[in-house]
Amino acid sequence: MPKKILIVEDNEDSRELVVKVLRNKGYEMVEAADGEEAVEKAVAEKPDLILLDISLPKLDGYEVAKRLKSLEEFQEIPIVAFTAHAMKGDREKAIIAGFEGYISKPVDIRDLPVQVKSFIRGKRESILNGDEA
Ligand code: MN
């Protein structure tokens, strides 16, 4: 069975690029364009990985991650920040919110599938080290 990935990104071009790249690698893709839709789709679809933009309409990525990580069924599901803003303070906030790591935007289409694979395998990226996930 293909692994299912939820991509949460309000920028349509960016979201569609991620969907295209990962669908080509055989993943089943689910999309959400704002924070409320992200929570709804996550609960309904039970993805194996969530790529979550931080700046989103309605609820931001931190709030989405906190809400999902407060649910038992999401304890083991990696939530990865999909963001251009990977500053030191952001990392601390991301740890508190329950993110597993970062994937930097703009997306590197050759590196993205490699990063996704490692997060799905449960190889935790250290979000305390380096600027790039
Ligand atoms: Mn955004």
Side-chain angles (χ1 to χ4, degrees):
M1 221 169 74
K3 296 288 187 186
K4 193 189 281 186
I5 299 172
L6 171 62
I7 170 73
V8 185
E9 166 64 271
D10 58 320
N11 181 290
E12 197 178 338
D13 290 341
S14 176
R15 193 176 68 243
E16 284 179 356
L17 178 63
V18 170
V19 166
K20 197 175 111 187
V21 168
L22 295 178
R23 210 167 255 161
N24 281 342
K25 294 289 179 184
Y27 293 106
E28 182 181 342
M29 300 302 295
V30 177
E31 301 172 52
D34 65 56
E36 284 178 4
E37 192 185 8
V39 174
E40 288 167 14
K41 290 264 175 86
V43 169
E45 299 279 348
K46 305 276 167 49
D48 299 289
L49 174 70
I50 300 171
L51 300 179
L52 181 56
D53 184 21
I54 299 294
S55 307
L56 287 166
K58 299 182 184 175
L59 303 173
D60 70 16
Y62 297 118
E63 187 59 32
V64 172
K66 271 185 219 164
R67 289 190 189 192
L68 293 177
K69 287 297 183 183
S70 75
L71 304 172
E72 181 74 39
E73 66 213 272
F74 287 95
Q75 295 305 310
E76 302 300 320
I77 297 179
I79 302 179
V80 174
F82 184 60
T83 181
H85 319 288
M87 300 300 177
K88 198 164 190 287
D90 290 339
R91 282 198 195 92
E92 284 151 14
K93 275 176 84 176
I95 291 165
I96 293 162
F99 285 96
E100 309 293 327
Y102 279 98
I103 289 177
S104 298
K105 290 194 285 190
V107 66
D108 178 332
I109 63 169
R110 281 189 297 182
D111 205 32
L112 178 66
V114 179
Q115 291 174 305
V116 160
K117 203 171 181 178
S118 75
F119 281 119
I120 285 180
R121 279 178 178 165
K123 223 195 296 167
R124 239 183 115 94
E125 293 280 336
S126 172
I127 59 178
L128 293 170
N129 298 318
D131 290 308
E132 304 296 320

